[in-house]
PDB file of all heavy atoms in Angstrom:
ATOM      1  N   CYS L 375    -130.358  22.715  96.804  1.00 93.00           N
ATOM      2  CA  CYS L 375    -130.416  21.301  96.675  1.00 93.00           C
ATOM      3  C   CYS L 375    -129.162  20.826  95.988  1.00 93.00           C
ATOM      4  O   CYS L 375    -129.044  20.936  94.772  1.00 93.00           O
ATOM      5  CB  CYS L 375    -131.664  20.971  95.782  1.00 93.00           C
ATOM      6  SG  CYS L 375    -131.891  19.242  95.712  1.00 93.00           S
ATOM      7  N   VAL L 376    -128.223  20.314  96.753  1.00 92.00           N
ATOM      8  CA  VAL L 376    -127.163  19.676  96.152  1.00 92.00           C
ATOM      9  C   VAL L 376    -127.300  18.233  95.841  1.00 92.00           C
ATOM     10  O   VAL L 376    -127.067  17.707  94.824  1.00 92.00           O
ATOM     11  CB  VAL L 376    -125.891  19.732  97.187  1.00 92.00           C
ATOM     12  CG1 VAL L 376    -124.553  18.925  96.626  1.00 92.00           C
ATOM     13  CG2 VAL L 376    -125.419  21.107  97.404  1.00 92.00           C
ATOM     14  N   VAL L 377    -128.139  17.571  96.662  1.00 87.00           N
ATOM     15  CA  VAL L 377    -128.724  16.252  96.386  1.00 87.00           C
ATOM     16  C   VAL L 377    -130.134  16.145  96.808  1.00 87.00           C
ATOM     17  O   VAL L 377    -130.649  17.208  97.575  1.00 87.00           O
ATOM     18  CB  VAL L 377    -127.978  15.128  97.192  1.00 87.00           C
ATOM     19  CG1 VAL L 377    -126.514  15.041  96.722  1.00 87.00           C
ATOM     20  CG2 VAL L 377    -128.028  15.362  98.641  1.00 87.00           C
ATOM     21  N   ASP L 378    -130.998  15.310  96.244  1.00 84.00           N
ATOM     22  CA  ASP L 378    -132.377  15.299  96.669  1.00 84.00           C
ATOM     23  C   ASP L 378    -132.591  15.233  98.256  1.00 84.00           C
ATOM     24  O   ASP L 378    -131.929  14.591  98.887  1.00 84.00           O
ATOM     25  CB  ASP L 378    -133.090  14.102  95.973  1.00 84.00           C
ATOM     26  CG  ASP L 378    -133.150  14.239  94.589  1.00 84.00           C
ATOM     27  OD1 ASP L 378    -133.052  15.343  94.031  1.00 84.00           O
ATOM     28  OD2 ASP L 378    -133.360  13.193  93.776  1.00 84.00           O
ATOM     29  N   GLY L 379    -133.488  16.068  98.536  1.00 83.00           N
ATOM     30  CA  GLY L 379    -133.897  16.101 100.007  1.00 83.00           C
ATOM     31  C   GLY L 379    -133.140  17.217 100.744  1.00 83.00           C
ATOM     32  O   GLY L 379    -133.405  17.344 101.965  1.00 83.00           O
ATOM     33  N   ASP L 380    -132.204  17.887 100.168  1.00 87.00           N
ATOM     34  CA  ASP L 380    -131.447  18.943 100.870  1.00 87.00           C
ATOM     35  C   ASP L 380    -132.250  20.153 101.302  1.00 87.00           C
ATOM     36  O   ASP L 380    -132.073  20.685 102.343  1.00 87.00           O
ATOM     37  CB  ASP L 380    -130.423  19.492  99.878  1.00 87.00           C
ATOM     38  CG  ASP L 380    -129.002  18.770 100.038  1.00 87.00           C
ATOM     39  OD1 ASP L 380    -128.975  17.893 100.926  1.00 87.00           O
ATOM     40  OD2 ASP L 380    -128.098  19.215  99.447  1.00 87.00           O
ATOM     41  N   VAL L 381    -133.235  20.438 100.470  1.00 90.00           N
ATOM     42  CA  VAL L 381    -133.975  21.814 100.810  1.00 90.00           C
ATOM     43  C   VAL L 381    -134.949  21.405 101.825  1.00 90.00           C
ATOM     44  O   VAL L 381    -135.930  20.561 101.708  1.00 90.00           O
ATOM     45  CB  VAL L 381    -134.742  22.385  99.605  1.00 90.00           C
ATOM     46  CG1 VAL L 381    -135.379  23.544  99.886  1.00 90.00           C
ATOM     47  CG2 VAL L 381    -133.585  22.761  98.539  1.00 90.00           C
ATOM     48  N   VAL L 382    -134.729  22.046 102.995  1.00 92.00           N
ATOM     49  CA  VAL L 382    -135.797  21.939 104.071  1.00 92.00           C
ATOM     50  C   VAL L 382    -136.538  23.159 104.326  1.00 92.00           C
ATOM     51  O   VAL L 382    -137.515  23.165 105.163  1.00 92.00           O
ATOM     52  CB  VAL L 382    -135.119  21.294 105.433  1.00 92.00           C
ATOM     53  CG1 VAL L 382    -134.608  19.945 105.107  1.00 92.00           C
ATOM     54  CG2 VAL L 382    -134.102  22.294 105.815  1.00 92.00           C
ATOM     55  N   ASP L 383    -136.111  24.294 103.878  1.00 95.00           N
ATOM     56  CA  ASP L 383    -136.693  25.539 104.117  1.00 95.00           C
ATOM     57  C   ASP L 383    -136.770  26.515 102.764  1.00 95.00           C
ATOM     58  O   ASP L 383    -135.797  27.116 102.497  1.00 95.00           O
ATOM     59  CB  ASP L 383    -135.860  26.344 105.102  1.00 95.00           C
ATOM     60  CG  ASP L 383    -136.459  27.670 105.572  1.00 95.00           C
ATOM     61  OD1 ASP L 383    -137.624  28.008 105.129  1.00 95.00           O
ATOM     62  OD2 ASP L 383    -135.938  28.384 106.292  1.00 95.00           O
ATOM     63  N   PRO L 384    -137.775  26.358 102.059  1.00 95.00           N
ATOM     64  CA  PRO L 384    -137.795  27.216 100.768  1.00 95.00           C
ATOM     65  C   PRO L 384    -137.905  28.705 101.108  1.00 95.00           C
ATOM     66  O   PRO L 384    -137.506  29.391 100.216  1.00 95.00           O
ATOM     67  CB  PRO L 384    -139.001  26.611 100.108  1.00 95.00           C
ATOM     68  CG  PRO L 384    -139.871  25.778 101.137  1.00 95.00           C
ATOM     69  CD  PRO L 384    -138.921  25.366 102.052  1.00 95.00           C
ATOM     70  N   TYR L 385    -138.292  29.054 102.215  1.00 96.00           N
ATOM     71  CA  TYR L 385    -138.261  30.495 102.448  1.00 96.00           C
ATOM     72  C   TYR L 385    -136.702  31.021 102.669  1.00 96.00           C
ATOM     73  O   TYR L 385    -136.514  32.133 102.260  1.00 96.00           O
ATOM     74  CB  TYR L 385    -139.063  30.739 103.831  1.00 96.00           C
ATOM     75  CG  TYR L 385    -140.460  30.621 103.768  1.00 96.00           C
ATOM     76  CD1 TYR L 385    -141.106  29.472 104.130  1.00 96.00           C
ATOM     77  CD2 TYR L 385    -141.293  31.663 103.267  1.00 96.00           C
ATOM     78  CE1 TYR L 385    -142.452  29.249 103.939  1.00 96.00           C
ATOM     79  CE2 TYR L 385    -142.635  31.489 103.032  1.00 96.00           C
ATOM     80  CZ  TYR L 385    -143.208  30.230 103.345  1.00 96.00           C
ATOM     81  OH  TYR L 385    -144.595  30.030 103.307  1.00 96.00           O
ATOM     82  N   ALA L 386    -135.924  29.949 103.106  1.00 97.00           N
ATOM     83  CA  ALA L 386    -134.471  30.482 103.071  1.00 97.00           C
ATOM     84  C   ALA L 386    -133.926  30.506 101.526  1.00 97.00           C
ATOM     85  O   ALA L 386    -132.891  31.198 101.321  1.00 97.00           O
ATOM     86  CB  ALA L 386    -133.584  29.377 103.871  1.00 97.00           C
ATOM     87  N   SER L 387    -134.577  29.619 100.750  1.00 97.00           N
ATOM     88  CA  SER L 387    -134.139  29.699  99.391  1.00 97.00           C
ATOM     89  C   SER L 387    -134.393  31.073  98.663  1.00 97.00           C
ATOM     90  O   SER L 387    -133.658  31.477  97.837  1.00 97.00           O
ATOM     91  CB  SER L 387    -134.932  28.664  98.494  1.00 97.00           C
ATOM     92  OG  SER L 387    -134.970  27.364  99.041  1.00 97.00           O
ATOM     93  N   ALA L 388    -135.360  31.811  99.244  1.00 97.00           N
ATOM     94  CA  ALA L 388    -135.564  33.217  98.761  1.00 97.00           C
ATOM     95  C   ALA L 388    -134.428  34.090  99.042  1.00 97.00           C
ATOM     96  O   ALA L 388    -134.022  35.102  98.337  1.00 97.00           O
ATOM     97  CB  ALA L 388    -136.847  33.733  99.508  1.00 97.00           C
ATOM     98  N   VAL L 389    -133.674  33.908 100.110  1.00 98.00           N
ATOM     99  CA  VAL L 389    -132.489  34.653 100.407  1.00 98.00           C
ATOM    100  C   VAL L 389    -131.530  34.535  99.305  1.00 98.00           C
ATOM    101  O   VAL L 389    -130.776  35.544  99.000  1.00 98.00           O
ATOM    102  CB  VAL L 389    -131.786  34.276 101.802  1.00 98.00           C
ATOM    103  CG1 VAL L 389    -130.557  34.960 101.900  1.00 98.00           C
ATOM    104  CG2 VAL L 389    -132.856  34.341 102.931  1.00 98.00           C
ATOM    105  N   TRP L 390    -131.371  33.424  98.666  1.00 97.00           N
ATOM    106  CA  TRP L 390    -130.483  33.146  97.545  1.00 97.00           C
ATOM    107  C   TRP L 390    -130.829  34.202  96.325  1.00 97.00           C
ATOM    108  O   TRP L 390    -130.079  34.746  95.727  1.00 97.00           O
ATOM    109  CB  TRP L 390    -130.376  31.825  97.171  1.00 97.00           C
ATOM    110  CG  TRP L 390    -129.465  31.026  98.098  1.00 97.00           C
ATOM    111  CD1 TRP L 390    -129.637  30.921  99.462  1.00 97.00           C
ATOM    112  CD2 TRP L 390    -128.190  30.417  97.870  1.00 97.00           C
ATOM    113  NE1 TRP L 390    -128.587  30.110  99.960  1.00 97.00           N
ATOM    114  CE2 TRP L 390    -127.608  29.943  99.090  1.00 97.00           C
ATOM    115  CE3 TRP L 390    -127.340  30.375  96.674  1.00 97.00           C
ATOM    116  CZ2 TRP L 390    -126.436  29.281  99.145  1.00 97.00           C
ATOM    117  CZ3 TRP L 390    -126.158  29.666  96.832  1.00 97.00           C
ATOM    118  CH2 TRP L 390    -125.705  29.173  97.885  1.00 97.00           C
ATOM    119  N   GLY L 391    -132.141  34.264  96.061  1.00 96.00           N
ATOM    120  CA  GLY L 391    -132.628  35.009  94.953  1.00 96.00           C
ATOM    121  C   GLY L 391    -132.292  36.487  95.244  1.00 96.00           C
ATOM    122  O   GLY L 391    -131.869  37.259  94.367  1.00 96.00           O
ATOM    123  N   LEU L 392    -132.562  36.950  96.528  1.00 97.00           N
ATOM    124  CA  LEU L 392    -132.293  38.283  96.891  1.00 97.00           C
ATOM    125  C   LEU L 392    -130.864  38.599  96.867  1.00 97.00           C
ATOM    126  O   LEU L 392    -130.376  39.625  96.340  1.00 97.00           O
ATOM    127  CB  LEU L 392    -132.921  38.515  98.351  1.00 97.00           C
ATOM    128  CG  LEU L 392    -132.493  39.877  98.959  1.00 97.00           C
ATOM    129  CD1 LEU L 392    -133.217  40.949  98.192  1.00 97.00           C
ATOM    130  CD2 LEU L 392    -132.955  39.893 100.458  1.00 97.00           C
ATOM    131  N   GLY L 393    -129.984  37.605  97.381  1.00 97.00           N
ATOM    132  CA  GLY L 393    -128.580  37.855  97.493  1.00 97.00           C
ATOM    133  C   GLY L 393    -127.942  38.071  96.198  1.00 97.00           C
ATOM    134  O   GLY L 393    -127.031  39.001  95.993  1.00 97.00           O
ATOM    135  N   ARG L 394    -128.429  37.321  95.082  1.00 96.00           N
ATOM    136  CA  ARG L 394    -127.748  37.535  93.775  1.00 96.00           C
ATOM    137  C   ARG L 394    -128.198  38.892  93.150  1.00 96.00           C
ATOM    138  O   ARG L 394    -127.370  39.470  92.432  1.00 96.00           O
ATOM    139  CB  ARG L 394    -128.515  36.510  92.838  1.00 96.00           C
ATOM    140  CG  ARG L 394    -127.890  34.971  93.140  1.00 96.00           C
ATOM    141  CD  ARG L 394    -128.664  33.902  92.743  1.00 96.00           C
ATOM    142  NE  ARG L 394    -128.000  32.627  92.858  1.00 96.00           N
ATOM    143  CZ  ARG L 394    -128.600  31.515  93.091  1.00 96.00           C
ATOM    144  NH1 ARG L 394    -130.007  31.476  92.996  1.00 96.00           N
ATOM    145  NH2 ARG L 394    -128.062  30.395  93.295  1.00 96.00           N
ATOM    146  N   VAL L 395    -129.258  39.543  93.636  1.00 96.00           N
ATOM    147  CA  VAL L 395    -129.510  40.914  93.201  1.00 96.00           C
ATOM    148  C   VAL L 395    -128.551  41.903  93.967  1.00 96.00           C
ATOM    149  O   VAL L 395    -128.256  42.806  93.379  1.00 96.00           O
ATOM    150  CB  VAL L 395    -131.047  41.194  93.324  1.00 96.00           C
ATOM    151  CG1 VAL L 395    -131.365  42.672  92.892  1.00 96.00           C
ATOM    152  CG2 VAL L 395    -131.918  40.315  92.553  1.00 96.00           C
ATOM    153  N   ILE L 396    -128.560  41.619  95.275  1.00 97.00           N
ATOM    154  CA  ILE L 396    -127.633  42.459  95.980  1.00 97.00           C
ATOM    155  C   ILE L 396    -126.287  42.469  95.359  1.00 97.00           C
ATOM    156  O   ILE L 396    -125.626  43.638  95.323  1.00 97.00           O
ATOM    157  CB  ILE L 396    -127.651  42.103  97.531  1.00 97.00           C
ATOM    158  CG1 ILE L 396    -128.955  42.135  98.183  1.00 97.00           C
ATOM    159  CG2 ILE L 396    -126.614  42.845  98.361  1.00 97.00           C
ATOM    160  CD1 ILE L 396    -129.093  41.435  99.537  1.00 97.00           C
ATOM    161  N   GLY L 397    -125.802  41.322  94.964  1.00 96.00           N
ATOM    162  CA  GLY L 397    -124.435  41.258  94.323  1.00 96.00           C
ATOM    163  C   GLY L 397    -124.324  42.129  93.146  1.00 96.00           C
ATOM    164  O   GLY L 397    -123.318  42.712  92.738  1.00 96.00           O
ATOM    165  N   LEU L 398    -125.518  42.223  92.411  1.00 96.00           N
ATOM    166  CA  LEU L 398    -125.509  43.070  91.141  1.00 96.00           C
ATOM    167  C   LEU L 398    -125.676  44.528  91.512  1.00 96.00           C
ATOM    168  O   LEU L 398    -124.850  45.327  90.882  1.00 96.00           O
ATOM    169  CB  LEU L 398    -126.597  42.637  90.298  1.00 96.00           C
ATOM    170  CG  LEU L 398    -126.735  41.262  89.687  1.00 96.00           C
ATOM    171  CD1 LEU L 398    -128.021  41.040  88.882  1.00 96.00           C
ATOM    172  CD2 LEU L 398    -125.551  41.196  88.653  1.00 96.00           C
ATOM    173  N   GLU L 399    -126.409  44.889  92.554  1.00 96.00           N
ATOM    174  CA  GLU L 399    -126.563  46.302  92.828  1.00 96.00           C
ATOM    175  C   GLU L 399    -125.393  46.801  93.682  1.00 96.00           C
ATOM    176  O   GLU L 399    -125.087  47.990  93.630  1.00 96.00           O
ATOM    177  CB  GLU L 399    -127.941  46.501  93.572  1.00 96.00           C
ATOM    178  CG  GLU L 399    -129.093  46.092  92.614  1.00 96.00           C
ATOM    179  CD  GLU L 399    -130.363  46.317  93.304  1.00 96.00           C
ATOM    180  OE1 GLU L 399    -130.480  46.947  94.496  1.00 96.00           O
ATOM    181  OE2 GLU L 399    -131.441  46.037  92.742  1.00 96.00           O
ATOM    182  N   HIS L 400    -124.666  46.019  94.474  1.00 96.00           N
ATOM    183  CA  HIS L 400    -123.746  46.477  95.363  1.00 96.00           C
ATOM    184  C   HIS L 400    -122.493  45.556  95.339  1.00 96.00           C
ATOM    185  O   HIS L 400    -122.155  44.999  96.341  1.00 96.00           O
ATOM    186  CB  HIS L 400    -124.255  46.514  96.845  1.00 96.00           C
ATOM    187  CG  HIS L 400    -125.236  47.526  96.985  1.00 96.00           C
ATOM    188  ND1 HIS L 400    -125.032  48.773  97.098  1.00 96.00           N
ATOM    189  CD2 HIS L 400    -126.693  47.390  97.207  1.00 96.00           C
ATOM    190  CE1 HIS L 400    -126.291  49.542  97.256  1.00 96.00           C
ATOM    191  NE2 HIS L 400    -127.305  48.563  97.280  1.00 96.00           N
ATOM    192  N   PRO L 401    -121.850  45.227  94.166  1.00 95.00           N
ATOM    193  CA  PRO L 401    -120.780  44.414  94.076  1.00 95.00           C
ATOM    194  C   PRO L 401    -119.544  44.818  95.015  1.00 95.00           C
ATOM    195  O   PRO L 401    -118.744  43.909  95.358  1.00 95.00           O
ATOM    196  CB  PRO L 401    -120.406  44.516  92.541  1.00 95.00           C
ATOM    197  CG  PRO L 401    -120.947  45.848  92.130  1.00 95.00           C
ATOM    198  CD  PRO L 401    -122.108  46.020  92.866  1.00 95.00           C
ATOM    199  N   ASP L 402    -119.503  46.135  95.299  1.00 95.00           N
ATOM    200  CA  ASP L 402    -118.338  46.571  96.037  1.00 95.00           C
ATOM    201  C   ASP L 402    -118.493  46.179  97.520  1.00 95.00           C
ATOM    202  O   ASP L 402    -117.515  46.181  98.251  1.00 95.00           O
ATOM    203  CB  ASP L 402    -118.250  48.123  95.992  1.00 95.00           C
ATOM    204  CG  ASP L 402    -119.621  48.861  96.469  1.00 95.00           C
ATOM    205  OD1 ASP L 402    -120.629  48.317  96.135  1.00 95.00           O
ATOM    206  OD2 ASP L 402    -119.470  49.870  97.009  1.00 95.00           O
ATOM    207  N   ARG L 403    -119.562  45.854  98.128  1.00 94.00           N
ATOM    208  CA  ARG L 403    -119.746  45.428  99.393  1.00 94.00           C
ATOM    209  C   ARG L 403    -120.623  44.071  99.464  1.00 94.00           C
ATOM    210  O   ARG L 403    -121.338  43.928 100.477  1.00 94.00           O
ATOM    211  CB  ARG L 403    -120.401  46.557 100.394  1.00 94.00           C
ATOM    212  CG  ARG L 403    -121.579  47.042  99.819  1.00 94.00           C
ATOM    213  CD  ARG L 403    -122.013  48.335 100.703  1.00 94.00           C
ATOM    214  NE  ARG L 403    -123.240  49.001 100.390  1.00 94.00           N
ATOM    215  CZ  ARG L 403    -124.357  48.793 100.979  1.00 94.00           C
ATOM    216  NH1 ARG L 403    -124.481  48.001 101.941  1.00 94.00           N
ATOM    217  NH2 ARG L 403    -125.490  49.497 100.643  1.00 94.00           N
ATOM    218  N   TRP L 404    -120.444  43.198  98.532  1.00 97.00           N
ATOM    219  CA  TRP L 404    -121.028  41.916  98.614  1.00 97.00           C
ATOM    220  C   TRP L 404    -119.985  40.766  98.683  1.00 97.00           C
ATOM    221  O   TRP L 404    -118.954  40.876  97.981  1.00 97.00           O
ATOM    222  CB  TRP L 404    -121.828  41.780  97.286  1.00 97.00           C
ATOM    223  CG  TRP L 404    -122.394  40.286  97.091  1.00 97.00           C
ATOM    224  CD1 TRP L 404    -122.175  39.404  96.192  1.00 97.00           C
ATOM    225  CD2 TRP L 404    -123.536  39.745  97.993  1.00 97.00           C
ATOM    226  NE1 TRP L 404    -122.913  38.309  96.411  1.00 97.00           N
ATOM    227  CE2 TRP L 404    -123.685  38.450  97.432  1.00 97.00           C
ATOM    228  CE3 TRP L 404    -124.069  40.203  99.025  1.00 97.00           C
ATOM    229  CZ2 TRP L 404    -124.703  37.625  98.038  1.00 97.00           C
ATOM    230  CZ3 TRP L 404    -125.025  39.393  99.734  1.00 97.00           C
ATOM    231  CH2 TRP L 404    -125.401  38.096  99.194  1.00 97.00           C
ATOM    232  N   GLY L 405    -120.344  39.795  99.592  1.00 97.00           N
ATOM    233  CA  GLY L 405    -119.437  38.705  99.705  1.00 97.00           C
ATOM    234  C   GLY L 405    -119.956  37.450  99.056  1.00 97.00           C
ATOM    235  O   GLY L 405    -119.344  36.954  98.056  1.00 97.00           O
ATOM    236  N   GLY L 406    -120.976  37.088  99.389  1.00 98.00           N
ATOM    237  CA  GLY L 406    -121.643  35.843  98.670  1.00 98.00           C
ATOM    238  C   GLY L 406    -122.664  35.104  99.554  1.00 98.00           C
ATOM    239  O   GLY L 406    -123.256  35.696 100.369  1.00 98.00           O
ATOM    240  N   LEU L 407    -123.042  34.032  99.070  1.00 98.00           N
ATOM    241  CA  LEU L 407    -124.117  33.036  99.674  1.00 98.00           C
ATOM    242  C   LEU L 407    -123.514  31.859 100.227  1.00 98.00           C
ATOM    243  O   LEU L 407    -122.704  31.157  99.371  1.00 98.00           O
ATOM    244  CB  LEU L 407    -125.172  32.916  98.768  1.00 98.00           C
ATOM    245  CG  LEU L 407    -125.979  34.144  98.152  1.00 98.00           C
ATOM    246  CD1 LEU L 407    -126.646  33.906  96.856  1.00 98.00           C
ATOM    247  CD2 LEU L 407    -127.126  34.390  99.207  1.00 98.00           C
TER     248      LEU L 407
END
Side-chain angles (χ1 to χ4, degrees):
C375 187
V376 177
V377 297
D378 288 346
D380 265 5
V381 177
V382 296
D383 185 2
Y385 289 97
S387 303
V389 174
W390 281 64
L392 174 66
R394 287 161 178 151
V395 176
I396 298 172
L398 292 175
E399 296 183 3
H400 298 285
D402 55 329
R403 53 191 182 97
W404 175 244
L407 294 153

